[in-house]
Amino acid sequence: MFDVGYMIGLMPVLLGYLPLTLQIATASMAFALVLACLLAIVRVLAVPGLDLVVRLFISFFRGTPLLVQLFLFYYGLPQVIGFLLAINGITAAILGLTLHFAAYMAESIRAAIVGVDRSQSEAALSVGMTTGQMMRRIVLPQAARVAAPTLMNYFIDMIKSTSLAFTLGVTELMGATQKEAAGSFRYLEAFLAVAVIYWVVVEALSVVQRRLETALGRAYRR
């Protein structure tokens, strides 16, 4: 029989693991954003040699499941790369999430950069700006406004994807739920409780996203 009292009592316990989940997601997002910007710039500028490497990187990480990538970094590569034996589950989760989402974010950022009016780039170069200055001062700020809502969606997806970290032995929100459910045999109550927590977090971030879109679009309204 469904035990509402157990579910409600379990929520404070699970919430104690929410900070770790958010820390993993935030760290992964920060690293992924930096990497995605670099990848996108290489794609836009079509840097000889590097462009092919970036295409292969994006193709691989978009074309294989995240869970496979996490297992690859935590269980597979340490067998052939000795120093990877020292990484723990949290580090492997951050690495996997970073590379996986950077591949998707790079394409979104590239599209945003390409969407900036070409005449602005030409004007910047005509007044003596270098390509780096043009990207940093003219193109990227405008591309950021376009890409921001999509990047926020990726962050939301990243928070939900941290639930796979428990497969690497990380006791984050999902890992804690699995242990509580296995110990009490109250699987329905435990997984419904964690679903509600994820739902509330995602809805809160959705509100932030809508306000961010409004703030970014205000300057462009006539």
Side-chain angles (χ1 to χ4, degrees), residues 31-46:
F31 293 135
L33 184 57
V34 173
L35 179 57
C37 287
L38 295 175
L39 296 175
I41 290 172
V42 171
R43 291 278 285 111
V44 170
L45 298 179

Side-chain angles (χ1 to χ4, degrees), residues 210 213-222:
R210 288 192 291 271
E213 290 178 15
T214 301
L216 290 174
R218 188 174 296 127
Y220 291 85
R221 294 197 185 97
R222 294 180 180 274

Side-chain angles (χ1 to χ4, degrees), residues 166-215:
F166 90 95
T167 61
L168 308 183
V170 180
T171 307
E172 40 67 68
L173 188 54
M174 188 61 187
T177 303
Q178 180 70 20
K179 290 182 179 180
E180 292 291 338
S184 65
F185 295 100
R186 294 282 183 179
Y187 290 97
L188 177 58
E189 292 90 336
F191 291 124
L192 185 56
V194 77
V196 169
I197 292 173
Y198 279 118
W199 184 24
V200 171
V201 170
V202 168
E203 284 302 305
L205 288 173
S206 297
V207 171
V208 174
Q209 179 184 13
R210 288 192 291 271
R211 291 183 178 178
L212 178 63
E213 290 178 15
T214 301

Side-chain angles (χ1 to χ4, degrees), residues 20-209:
L20 178 58
T21 292
L22 295 178
Q23 287 168 17
I24 293 173
T26 302
S28 301
M29 184 65 183
F31 293 135
L33 184 57
V34 173
L35 179 57
C37 287
L38 295 175
L39 296 175
I41 290 172
V42 171
R43 291 278 285 111
V44 170
L45 298 179
V47 180
L50 282 179
D51 186 50
L52 176 59
V53 174
V54 169
R55 286 174 180 269
L56 290 173
F57 174 91
I58 292 174
S59 177
F60 176 79
F61 283 99
R62 292 182 65 179
T64 55
L66 175 57
L67 184 59
V68 172
Q69 295 165 18
L70 292 175
F71 280 10
L72 183 65
F73 291 126
Y74 191 63
Y75 297 111
L77 289 181
Q79 293 182 341
V80 294
I81 304 177
F83 73 88
L84 289 179
L85 289 170
I87 70 172
N88 56 28
I90 293 177
T91 303
I94 292 174
L95 177 61
L97 289 168
T98 295
L99 298 180
H100 181 82
F101 281 93
Y104 285 92
M105 291 162 58
E107 288 298 281
S108 297
I109 294 172
R110 182 185 68 83
I113 291 174
V114 172
V116 175
D117 192 339
R118 187 178 181 85
S119 64
Q120 298 190 45
S121 302
E122 293 173 348
L125 294 174
S126 70
V127 298
M129 284 190 183
T130 64
T131 301
Q133 290 173 328
M134 178 264 293
M135 292 295 293
R136 186 173 66 254
R137 298 177 183 179
I138 305 298
V139 177
L140 289 181
Q142 295 184 67
R145 182 186 67 85
V146 176
T150 302
L151 297 179
M152 193 66 180
N153 282 332
Y154 283 129
F155 182 55
I156 290 173
D157 285 342
M158 192 176 289
I159 289 176
K160 292 184 288 186
S161 296
T162 59
S163 61
L164 295 176
F166 90 95
T167 61
L168 308 183
V170 180
T171 307
E172 40 67 68
L173 188 54
M174 188 61 187
T177 303
Q178 180 70 20
K179 290 182 179 180
E180 292 291 338
S184 65
F185 295 100
R186 294 282 183 179
Y187 290 97
L188 177 58
E189 292 90 336
F191 291 124
L192 185 56
V194 77
V196 169
I197 292 173
Y198 279 118
W199 184 24
V200 171
V201 170
V202 168
E203 284 302 305
L205 288 173
S206 297
V207 171
V208 174
Q209 179 184 13

